[in-house]
Amino acid sequence: MADNSFSDGVPADSMEAAKNASNTEKLTDQVMQNPQVLAALQERLDTVSHTPSSYIETLPKAVKRRINALKQLQVRCAHIEAKFYEEVHDLERKYAALYQPLFDKRREFITGDVEPTDAESEWHSENEEEDKLAGDMKNKVVIAEKEAAAAAEEPNPKGIPEFWFTIFRNVDMLSELVQEYDEPILKHLQDIKVKFSDPGQPMSFVLEFHFEPNDYFTNPVLTKTYKMKSEPDKADPFSFEGPEIVDCDGCTIDWKKGKNVTVKTIKKKQKHKGRGTVRTITKQVPNESFFNFFSPLKASGDGESLDEDSEFTLASDFEIGHFFRERIVPRAVLYFTGEAIEDDDNFEEGEEGEEEELEGDEEGEEEEDAEVNPKKEPSQPAECKQQ
């Protein structure tokens, strides 16, 4: 039998290996001629070669040592920044005391305990300014007479009815929390105050919701305390961007009998295994309500991490508390009229417009690059362009 392991003095294994190598080389040539493959490879190379971390790894040890020194300086800067924000908190407390007499008078006007004087209630709108410039005094007299006649006929309720409840309806972040059965309760809300922590105490603020006597609970005030931290995290000091809310405490609502909207009663049938008899039992289960705001989820303090849903709920709670403090309480009348909401919407639209404009500039730069680089292969995908 002939030995097939050799052919013309060349081992069969070597011939097979050479054949496979030739096929692999042809396949590689075909793949490398595919523009999509080239684009993917180029993108991968760009990513690897241009990341800051990969660049730092290439630096000499002496340079890395100096970079570490810069990081130490950065940590010290973060601690100085934390002190800055602590002093800002002290300033907020100081000026809150100056604002409070004005907010107290606001409450008196809202509740109707005090009627504003003519001087206090004088306000010139843009339309009134246009009338003044036009100088049409005759029309003004007619309008004034009509307004006087209408005022004599229309009702004159006490204060500004449903002031805070209207704000809840106007602000999406708050209206999403309010259920239909919450509305009659919120109509009794007379004031919302912000109280800052005392000097020397841990940084925090308290939201106070003041209610008139009502048929739902006996508390005159419901409170929500937000605890804050203004210090760099030891594990990640470079993430410090100022004070952050880290936890919050609510309060116990003393509900009157049958008026607790945070729970609902359900009926459930139970069948006895032995006798086969059926009985109906009632039990209370949690119910969606704005007033769950005063029974917040607690941040984990034992080192255990919260699940994703709990983290989202807690973050939303912190955002709402911050919004009350920074926007709602200081500018309540503008959220009642809707003017502040329009300003917020205009600001958001402006940000979106800037993003679109920036994207357009980037596209323009790409087109310009194409013009100044005529040697670039027309079949090469845009993603392959060097950054």
Side-chain angles (χ1 to χ4, degrees):
M1 181 179 294
D3 188 356
N4 293 328
S5 59
F6 288 87
S7 178
D8 297 331
V10 180
D13 290 345
S14 298
M15 293 180 63
E16 186 67 23
K19 183 178 180 181
N20 290 338
S22 177
N23 291 338
T24 300
E25 185 177 350
K26 291 179 181 179
L27 182 60
T28 302
D29 290 341
Q30 292 175 359
V31 170
M32 294 305 293
Q33 290 176 6
N34 187 323
Q36 293 179 342
V37 173
L38 286 173
L41 287 172
Q42 185 65 54
E43 184 177 0
R44 183 72 177 270
L45 289 172
D46 289 343
T47 303
V48 171
S49 60
H50 293 293
T51 55
S53 58
S54 62
Y55 167 68
I56 297 300
E57 291 299 322
T58 65
L59 296 175
K61 289 183 178 180
V63 176
K64 291 180 182 178
R65 179 174 175 274
R66 295 167 197 139
I67 293 172
N68 291 337
L70 294 184
K71 287 184 177 181
Q72 284 203 31
L73 294 177
Q74 190 65 43
V75 171
R76 292 169 64 182
C77 287
H79 283 280
I80 292 174
E81 186 180 7
K83 294 294 182 184
F84 163 77
Y85 283 115
E86 288 178 6
E87 293 193 20
V88 169
H89 189 73
D90 292 337
L91 277 175
E92 285 184 308
R93 183 191 305 109
K94 172 185 174 182
Y95 279 88
L98 301 178
Y99 288 131
Q100 196 54 52
L102 301 178
F103 292 160
D104 290 341
K105 180 163 282 192
R106 177 178 71 185
R107 174 177 178 167
E108 292 175 341
F109 291 162
I110 291 171
T111 59
D113 293 340
V114 173
E115 189 68 26
T117 65
D118 290 342
E120 289 173 327
S121 58
E122 183 178 358
W123 184 261
H124 296 291
S125 66
E126 293 180 0
N127 292 335
E128 289 172 336
E129 290 295 331
E130 292 174 0
D131 290 341
K132 184 177 180 180
L133 292 173
D136 194 349
M137 297 303 296
K138 183 178 179 180
N139 287 343
K140 283 188 176 183
V141 172
V142 173
I143 291 172
E145 291 175 350
K146 289 182 178 179
E147 288 179 348
E153 297 175 1
E154 69 180 9
N156 183 15
K158 186 179 180 181
I160 305 177
E162 302 179 3
F163 178 84
W164 291 99
F165 172 60
T166 301
I167 293 174
F168 272 72
R169 287 191 304 183
N170 288 347
V171 178
D172 290 342
M173 184 187 296
L174 303 181
S175 64
E176 292 173 356
L177 304 177
V178 177
Q179 308 300 319
E180 186 176 352
Y181 38 82
D182 293 327
E183 295 180 2
I185 312 176
L186 289 172
K187 290 178 181 179
H188 293 286
L189 181 59
Q190 293 187 314
D191 198 13
I192 304 177
K193 295 181 179 180
V194 179
K195 297 289 183 67
F196 293 91
S197 54
D198 294 330
Q201 296 298 315
M203 188 181 294
S204 66
F205 66 93
V206 181
L207 298 177
E208 295 183 349
F209 295 75
H210 293 251
F211 287 84
E212 64 182 352
N214 59 80
D215 296 330
Y216 298 91
F217 47 75
T218 59
N219 314 59
V221 182
L222 302 181
T223 60
K224 182 77 169 282
T225 302
Y226 286 91
K227 301 174 183 178
M228 305 176 70
K229 183 183 76 171
S230 181
E231 60 182 63
D233 190 296
K234 292 181 180 179
D236 186 16
F238 303 133
S239 64
F240 180 73
E241 294 183 349
E244 60 177 339
I245 298 173
V246 293
D247 202 359
C248 57
D249 292 322
C251 67
T252 300
I253 302 178
D254 298 321
W255 294 99
K256 294 181 179 180
K257 187 176 180 180
K259 298 295 186 178
N260 188 350
V261 295
T262 64
V263 296
K264 60 183 176 181
T265 302
I266 62 172
K267 293 182 178 181
K268 187 176 181 181
K269 292 184 178 181
Q270 287 184 338
K271 186 176 181 180
H272 194 279
K273 291 183 179 179
R275 295 191 296 269
T277 56
V278 178
R279 67 173 181 173
T280 301
I281 62 169
T282 59
K283 61 183 297 187
Q284 287 189 331
V285 296
N287 194 30
E288 290 188 4
S289 168
F290 164 74
F291 291 91
N292 290 322
F293 179 74
F294 300 98
S295 301
L297 185 68
K298 293 292 294 179
S300 178
D302 53 8
E304 295 183 5
S305 59
L306 299 172
D307 58 53
E308 188 174 342
D309 290 342
S310 297
E311 286 185 354
F312 177 79
T313 300
L314 203 59
S316 298
D317 191 317
F318 293 170
E319 183 180 4
I320 293 168
H322 183 76
F323 194 76
F324 269 117
R325 167 189 158 174
E326 294 292 327
R327 308 299 292 274
I328 297 293
V329 173
R331 309 179 71 204
V333 65
L334 301 180
Y335 282 96
F336 175 79
T337 62
E339 293 167 81
I341 298 169
E342 293 174 1
D343 290 343
D344 291 345
D345 291 342
N346 290 336
F347 179 75
E348 290 175 1
E349 290 174 3
E351 285 186 332
E352 291 174 359
E354 289 177 5
E355 290 177 2
E356 292 174 359
E357 184 177 347
L358 289 173
E359 289 174 1
D361 290 343
E362 291 173 359
E363 291 175 359
E365 290 174 3
E366 289 181 1
E367 292 174 0
E368 184 177 349
D369 288 343
E371 292 176 1
V372 298
N373 188 14
K375 294 183 178 179
K376 179 179 174 182
E377 291 293 332
S379 61
Q380 186 179 11
E383 289 83 357
C384 294
K385 180 175 70 67
Q386 293 286 342
Q387 299 297 320

